[in-house]
Amino acid sequence: MKGLIYLLEDDESIAALVKFSLEREQIVCRTFPSVKAFKDGMVAGAPDIALLDIMLPDGSGLDVLKEMKSRYPSVCCIMLSALSSEHDKVLGLDLGADDYIAKPFGVMELIARVNAALRRRSGSNILKVGNLELNGEQMTVSLNGKLLDLNKKEFELLKYCMKNADIVLPRETLLTEIWGYVDTETRTLDNHVARLRKLGVDNFETVFGVGYRFKKP
């Protein structure tokens, strides 16, 4: 999978075409016909890219854009709209949109812009697992759009586990990678995992007798 796209589009034919075209490129695409459906879908986690129509039956994609950029600033937002005047484009970009594609659009151009956005994201030192997002450059971690207060070792532990999500990580490996030593009697690792769990990071699965697995949702 090259990336996860959320498409907010009430026109069924356009949504079906975009979904088919992206998934042919090994890009997973989830479609939502309304603002409410899109917000409900966000409960499962933030996407890599959000493709947002503006005129929806129950609201405006511009309001969704503002909320997305407020809670998940690293998510790339591309507007797909029949509102194609210079004023409309400038408004969308000023509100935080990363790109603006006017309807009708060519499928090849859309795919090219999505692929370009995914390449930029892959090189941005950002890790994302569900609603958990780690920014390596700013050394910040957010859960459901809320910043977590972590110390240096908690940050490093989380970063290593997110990079190796769904892999069983032995205690010895984690102690060596994060603390630089192996002491199987120490409770340091368990205390840090317990602290992260208390903050709401519930991805840690204890593998008894071995270590931990950081599960993807």
Side-chain angles (χ1 to χ4, degrees), residues 153 156-162 164 167-183 186 188-190 192-193 204-205 207 210-214:
K153 290 303 182 184
E156 291 177 357
L157 174 61
L158 195 53
K159 182 177 181 179
Y160 186 83
C161 290
M162 290 176 72
N164 296 279
I167 299 174
V168 175
L169 300 171
R171 294 175 58 85
E172 294 82 359
T173 298
L174 292 170
L175 287 167
T176 300
E177 292 292 336
I178 309 304
W179 284 273
Y181 65 86
V182 177
D183 181 357
T186 184
T188 298
L189 172 60
D190 304 300
H192 279 70
V193 170
F204 286 96
E205 177 185 49
V207 181
V210 182
Y212 293 96
R213 177 191 288 113
F214 195 80

Side-chain angles (χ1 to χ4, degrees), residues 103-205:
K103 297 178 181 177
F105 54 83
V107 171
M108 292 180 63
E109 178 188 2
L110 173 64
I111 291 174
R113 295 203 190 192
V114 167
N115 278 325
L118 288 173
R119 287 194 298 271
R120 290 194 298 270
R121 184 173 176 83
S122 66
S124 65
N125 202 16
I126 291 173
L127 300 174
K128 184 170 69 68
V129 176
N131 275 345
L132 186 67
E133 184 172 291
L134 182 148
N135 188 313
E137 295 177 359
Q138 300 179 9
M139 292 195 67
T140 58
V141 177
S142 63
L143 178 63
N144 295 316
K146 181 180 179 181
L147 287 176
L148 301 182
D149 183 16
L150 305 181
N151 63 39
K152 187 173 185 293
K153 290 303 182 184
E154 290 165 349
F155 179 86
E156 291 177 357
L157 174 61
L158 195 53
K159 182 177 181 179
Y160 186 83
C161 290
M162 290 176 72
K163 282 185 174 180
N164 296 279
D166 280 342
I167 299 174
V168 175
L169 300 171
R171 294 175 58 85
E172 294 82 359
T173 298
L174 292 170
L175 287 167
T176 300
E177 292 292 336
I178 309 304
W179 284 273
Y181 65 86
V182 177
D183 181 357
T184 56
E185 300 302 318
T186 184
R187 298 290 298 173
T188 298
L189 172 60
D190 304 300
N191 290 338
H192 279 70
V193 170
R195 158 80 173 154
L196 289 168
R197 283 172 169 164
K198 187 175 181 179
L199 290 173
V201 182
D202 57 4
N203 306 72
F204 286 96
E205 177 185 49

